[in-house]
């Protein structure tokens, strides 16, 4: 009986030992449809070193960025920080919303995450696509 074994090599691999700075857009949902007017973009951010100091939002696929409002935080490491951004949108069309967080250790969420086995360290900037009618 012939058995083939596949070996996973850990050479040049790095352990996931720190939670990366990350953020998540909770509203609006991806591919949702909204009316023109005021939309409150909401989400959470977290990090493994220090605390979240800033979340920036782009509503034009990363061409420009504006600061989101951070909810009061308790300055506790590893705690989620809620954030919100009031978006006044009066032009119909399709938009890509991005969110990126920064922490007190000077780390900012990257546009592309580093590869790691099982994806535990994934923290790329999230994109949400919306249609405004």
């Amino acid at each position: 009986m012939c058995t083939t074994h596949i070996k996973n090599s850990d050479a040049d691999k790095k352990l996931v030992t720190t939670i990366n700075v990350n953020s998540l857009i909770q509203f609006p949902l991806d591919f949702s449809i909204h009316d023109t007017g005021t939309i409150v973009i909401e989400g959470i951010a977290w990090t493994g070193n220090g605390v979240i100091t800033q979340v920036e939002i782009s509503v034009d696929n990363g061409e420009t960025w504006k600061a989101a409002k951070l909810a009061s935080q308790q300055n506790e490491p590893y705690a989620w920080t809620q954030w919100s951004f009031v978006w006044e949108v009066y032009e119909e069309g399709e938009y890509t919303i991005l969110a990126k967080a920064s922490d007190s250790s000077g780390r900012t969420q990257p546009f592309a995450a580093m590869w790691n086995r099982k994806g535990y360290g994934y923290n790329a900037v999230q994109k949400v696509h919306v249609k405004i009618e």
Side-chain angles (χ1 to χ4, degrees):
M1 183 166 144
C2 180
T3 307
T4 303
H5 295 281
I6 298 174
K7 276 183 111 176
N8 288 329
S9 172
D10 285 332
D12 298 327
K13 302 291 191 276
K14 294 182 181 176
L15 296 173
V16 177
T17 57
T18 302
I19 297 171
N20 291 325
V21 61
N22 210 337
S23 64
L24 179 67
I25 300 169
Q26 295 176 301
F27 183 87
L29 298 176
D30 203 16
F31 297 107
S32 56
I33 300 172
H34 302 271
D35 294 328
T36 58
T38 302
I39 298 174
V40 179
I41 302 169
E42 298 175 307
I44 56 174
W46 63 96
T47 186
N49 286 341
V51 295
I52 295 297
T53 56
Q54 176 175 278
V55 174
E56 294 175 284
I57 303 300
S58 173
V59 294
D60 55 13
N61 197 28
E63 290 185 34
T64 60
W65 295 87
K66 294 184 180 174
K69 180 180 178 187
L70 301 181
S72 61
Q73 49 182 308
Q74 303 157 354
N75 290 328
E76 293 181 33
Y78 312 107
W80 289 359
T81 299
Q82 294 179 320
W83 56 264
S84 62
F85 179 82
V86 177
W87 180 28
E88 300 288 340
V89 57
Y90 297 106
E91 193 170 318
E92 295 180 353
E94 295 183 13
Y95 294 84
T96 301
I97 303 169
L98 286 74
K100 67 177 176 179
S102 299
D103 68 15
S104 58
S105 296
R107 301 181 310 153
T108 298
Q109 205 173 341
F111 287 96
M114 290 187 337
W115 181 91
N116 62 92
R117 189 178 292 172
K118 297 186 180 182
Y120 292 132
Y122 185 86
N123 70 326
V125 169
Q126 182 190 13
K127 293 183 178 186
V128 169
H129 306 89
V130 295
K131 185 174 184 179
I132 305 298
E133 296 182 335

